């Protein structure tokens, strides 16, 4: 058999050629690495949304007073902004892990080349790295939920579901983030990520209701993933729950599937083809 | 070529480096800047518009609805935050340029050692980065100022002074940060941690989006220590003629100058320790 046909056969191998069913090895390695090197960095990420909540919820809350929610109820500004900050924390936790970390591992550590030289396939690596990012998002989410509870900003028992919602959001962003990162080759290009994330952070109905914008802007914002995350968690923590929350869940389900597919293909193209 | 003329040439070069060394270093940084100019320009132009949209207009609707015609500090919300946003961008650039790039020059590409062998003194290496950062901050905050002014965010004629005030605020935060970054030998994520537990609180609790006295008393001292609060308050004085007592204006200025000068001197000392060995 010639080398070319052999390669073709391998490429047609479907999932088995990509996935050895051992993503947990990648997760385990990541956890050990976190414990030994950058747990302080990880822990400090928890404080970011808390600082935002203290500054904006309290300071800006004093200027703004209350906000009218979807059902016409007046809620304190801090209770309005806290779920948005929780969604942002989930996004940031996932993005930092799936972009900066992956960038270093890919370009400096040459970690994935090493992993692919074992029985692990690109899907193991993609899934393992994304699960790590997910774990980080979940840790931030639980910590922030506790802060919200202590500050009396959870207005409903539905808030308990905010933790799985945080995981969903983190999963979506991590899946896409890793694939995108694989295109970057220099430090400076990484700033493009902030260039995309910061406007999304500020415009996704985070600080004020989306109805303030003119309608075309509203449609644009509603296309952004973070808006769906903010609305999902805000619905849960303020207790405005309806079938529209399932639309947000579906958005993330699609984002996860597309992100995983795209990242796996990229890893295969980069390292195996 | 005779030995005499070579010696003369070397002497001339030495004189040039003694006199203009800091500017040579600044030129180096300016040339490196070209490599990330794309994202730098995109951010410099895009961010003020985004701030305008998100804070000036979006948040402004909420704030103005609540405060009524009196506004915040006697002016509309946009006018109140514009000088503070200009100062914020300065502080952000400073925290960018004086963190990772310093470690890069000392550890990863070791360009500072190259400069020192050139021969430039440690002081010139420090001064050069300070000059470059000031240029970058001035250029960016000028763009911010123009965008804000175009939307009526800076009513007073003295408003253009928000640009030098922003440069001073940036250096007041950046110089001590430079000294700290230069003292690090290994990257163990200190920059990420510092960004979150130092720079971010100094930014959030510094009376940018709301007057500092809206915060509970125990959080206000964070603002007093923040170069950004002093810079934002000075910016408000020149930006819309905010009514502040003379002594407080003096405190703002002195605090920023002392921080900038002390940080700068400390940075020179630390860099001497690293390079002159």
């Amino acid at each position: 058999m010639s080398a070319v046909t052999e390669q073709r056969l391998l490429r047609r191998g479907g999932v088995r050629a990509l996935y050895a069913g051992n993503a947990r090895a990648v997760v385990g390695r990541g956890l050990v690495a976190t414990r030994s090197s950058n747990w302080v960095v990880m822990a400090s990420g928890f404080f970011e949304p808390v600082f935002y909540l203290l500054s904006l919820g309290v300071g800006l809350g004093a200027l703004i007073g209350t906000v009218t929610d979807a059902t016409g109820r007046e809620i304190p500004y801090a209770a309005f902004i806290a779920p948005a900050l929780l969604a942002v924390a989930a996004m940031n936790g996932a993005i930092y892990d799936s972009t900066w970390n992956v960038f270093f591992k890919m370009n400096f550590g040459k970690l994935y080349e090493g992993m692919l030289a074992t029985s692990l396939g690109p899907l193991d690596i993609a899934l393992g790295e994304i699960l790590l990012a997910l774990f980080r998002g979940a840790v931030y989410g639980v910590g922030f939920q506790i802060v919200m509870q202590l500050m009396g900003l959870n207005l409903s028992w539905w808030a308990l579901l905010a933790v799985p919602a945080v995981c969903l959001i983190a999963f979506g962003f991590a899946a896409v983030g890793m694939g995108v990162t694989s295109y970057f080759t220099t430090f400076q290009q990484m700033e493009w990520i902030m260039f995309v994330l910061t406007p999304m952070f500020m415009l996704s109905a985070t600080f004020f209701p989306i109805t303030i914008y003119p309608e075309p802007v509203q449609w644009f914002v509603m296309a952004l993933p973070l808006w769906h995350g903010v609305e999902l968690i805000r619905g849960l923590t303020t207790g405005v729950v309806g079938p529209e929350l399932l639309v947000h869940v579906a958005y993330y389900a699609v984002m996860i599937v597309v992100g995983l597919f795209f990242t796996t293909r990229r890893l295969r193209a980069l390292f195996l083809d | 070529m005779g030995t005499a003329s070579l010696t003369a040439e070397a002497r001339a070069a030495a004189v040039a480096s003694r006199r203009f060394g800091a500017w040579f270093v600044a030129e180096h940084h300016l040339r490196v800047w070209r490599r990330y100019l794309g994202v730098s320009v995109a951010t410099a132009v895009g961010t003020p518009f985004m701030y305008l949209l998100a804070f000036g207009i979006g948040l402004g609707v909420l704030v103005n609805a609540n405060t009524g015609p009196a506004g915040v500090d006697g002016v509309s919300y946009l006018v109140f935050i514009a000088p503070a946003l200009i100062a914020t961008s300065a502080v952000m650039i400073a925290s960018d340029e004086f963190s990772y790039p310093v470690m890069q020059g000392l550890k990863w590409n070791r360009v500072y050692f190259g400069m020192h062998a050139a021969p430039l003194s440690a002081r010139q290496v420090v001064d050069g980065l300070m000059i470059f950062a000031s240029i970058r901050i001035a250029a960016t905050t000028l763009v911010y100022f123009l965008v804000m002014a175009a939307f009526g965010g800076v009513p007073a004629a003295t408003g253009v002074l928000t640009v030098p005030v922003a440069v001073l605020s940036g250096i007041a935060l950046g110089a001590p940060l430079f000294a700290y970054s230069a003292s690090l030998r290994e990257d163990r994520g200190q920059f990420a941690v510092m960004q979150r537990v130092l720079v971010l609180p100094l930014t959030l609790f510094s009376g940018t989006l709301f007057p500092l006295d809206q915060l509970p008393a125990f959080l206000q001292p964070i603002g007093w220590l923040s170069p950004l609060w002093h810079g934002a308050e000075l910016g408000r004085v020149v930006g819309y003629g905010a009514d502040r007592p003379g002594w407080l204006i003096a405190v703002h200025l002195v605090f920023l100058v002392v921080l900038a000068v002390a940080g700068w001197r400390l940075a020179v000392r630390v860099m001497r320790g690293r390079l002159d060995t």
Side-chain angles (χ1 to χ4, degrees), chain B residues 121-146:
Chain B
S121 69
R123 144 152 251 133
Q124 288 169 327
V125 171
V126 172
D127 293 356
L129 183 57
M130 290 291 185
I131 292 169
F132 162 68
S134 305
I135 292 172
R136 191 183 156 195
I137 293 172
T140 311
T141 52
L142 187 64
V143 175
Y144 270 66
F145 164 75
L146 292 174

Side-chain angles (χ1 to χ4, degrees), chain A residues 130-196:
Chain A
I130 289 164
L131 284 174
L132 265 178
L134 185 59
F135 171 70
R136 185 163 165 170
V139 169
Y140 292 170
V142 171
F144 193 71
Q145 260 291 307
I146 294 171
V147 173
M148 275 179 75
Q149 187 62 39
L150 292 177
M151 289 177 72
L153 301 176
N154 284 325
L155 307 182
S156 150
W157 280 103
W158 284 101
L160 283 174
L161 281 180
V163 172
V166 161
C167 293
L168 187 74
I169 295 168
F171 202 165
F173 278 102
V176 173
M178 188 173 173
V180 171
T181 308
S182 66
Y183 285 96
F184 294 141
T185 50
T186 72
F187 269 121
Q188 279 81 11
Q189 284 170 324
M190 297 293 291
E191 280 185 46
W192 285 113
I193 294 177
M194 292 317 293
F195 186 72
V196 174

Side-chain angles (χ1 to χ4, degrees), chain A residues 40-41 44-45 48 51-52 54-56 58-60 62-65 77 96 188 191 195 198-199 202-203 207-208 212, chain B residues 36 39 42-43 50-51 54-55 58-59 61-63 66-67 77 189 192-193 196 200-201 204-205 209-210 214-216:
Chain A
V40 184
V41 182
S44 71
E48 203 169 283
F51 288 150
Y52 270 104
L54 276 179
S55 161
L56 302 178
V58 179
L60 209 50
L63 279 188
I64 290 176
Y77 186 64
Y96 285 141
Q188 279 81 11
E191 280 185 46
F195 186 72
T198 313
M202 296 173 113
L203 304 178
F207 300 113
F208 42 85
I212 282 174
Chain B
Y36 55 97
V39 71
T43 318
M50 186 181 71
Y51 279 161
F55 295 140
L59 211 50
V61 170
L62 286 187
V63 173
N66 193 49
T67 57
Y77 188 61
V193 173
R196 284 183 183 145
L200 186 70
L204 284 175
F205 301 103
L209 293 177
F210 48 84
Q214 301 281 10
L215 283 176

Side-chain angles (χ1 to χ4, degrees), chain B:
Chain B
M1 201 184 282
T3 328
S5 76
L6 260 182
T7 319
E9 210 174 301
R11 275 216 186 100
V15 168
S17 80
R18 260 203 299 280
R19 198 173 297 162
F20 305 112
W23 293 95
F24 295 160
V25 175
E27 186 196 353
H28 161 83
H29 290 295
L30 280 168
R31 285 174 188 276
V32 173
W33 190 20
R34 282 209 303 221
R35 248 189 274 161
Y36 55 97
L37 202 59
V39 71
S40 201
V41 169
T43 318
V45 178
T47 320
F49 280 107
M50 186 181 71
Y51 279 161
L52 267 175
L53 200 62
F55 295 140
I57 299 169
L59 211 50
V61 170
L62 286 187
V63 173
N64 293 338
N66 193 49
T67 57
V72 184
D73 199 20
V75 289
S76 79
Y77 188 61
L78 174 62
V79 172
F80 173 76
I81 60 170
L85 293 180
I86 294 171
T88 303
S89 74
V91 167
M92 291 296 170
I93 294 175
S95 74
D96 264 9
E97 286 291 346
F98 293 111
S99 54
Y100 274 111
V102 173
M103 178 168 272
Q104 180 166 32
L106 284 168
K107 182 175 160 69
W108 292 319
N109 68 12
R110 296 176 65 83
V111 70
Y112 292 152
F113 288 94
M115 291 171 177
H116 194 49
L120 301 173
S121 69
R123 144 152 251 133
Q124 288 169 327
V125 171
V126 172
D127 293 356
L129 183 57
M130 290 291 185
I131 292 169
F132 162 68
S134 305
I135 292 172
R136 191 183 156 195
I137 293 172
T140 311
T141 52
L142 187 64
V143 175
Y144 270 66
F145 164 75
L146 292 174
V147 172
M148 294 291 168
F151 285 85
V154 193
T158 48
V160 72
L161 290 176
T162 48
V163 173
V165 164
V167 174
L168 180 60
S169 321
I171 296 298
L173 180 102
L177 188 58
F178 189 176
Y180 172 71
S181 305
S183 71
L184 295 177
R185 306 241 160 199
E186 290 288 332
D187 171 30
R188 294 188 199 284
Q190 297 99 326
F191 292 126
V193 173
M194 202 181 45
Q195 185 66 37
R196 284 183 183 145
V197 302
L198 195 74
V199 177
L200 186 70
L202 288 184
T203 314
L204 284 175
F205 301 103
S206 56
T208 41
L209 293 177
F210 48 84
L212 191 60
D213 53 26
Q214 301 281 10
L215 283 176
F218 72 96
L219 287 173
Q220 290 183 24
I222 304 177
W224 302 341
L225 295 175
S226 170
L228 186 51
W229 179 62
H230 299 276
E233 286 294 292
L234 278 180
R236 285 179 177 129
V237 171
V238 296
Y240 61 85
D243 187 22
R244 302 283 185 271
W247 66 267
L248 192 55
I249 296 174
V251 167
H252 292 321
L253 254 182
V254 169
F255 182 84
L256 291 177
V257 170
V258 165
L259 213 54
V261 171
W264 198 315
R265 296 181 68 128
L266 193 61
V268 170
R269 183 187 295 183
V270 175
M271 285 290 274
R272 277 207 182 114
R274 291 296 294 273
L275 298 177
D276 296 345
T277 40

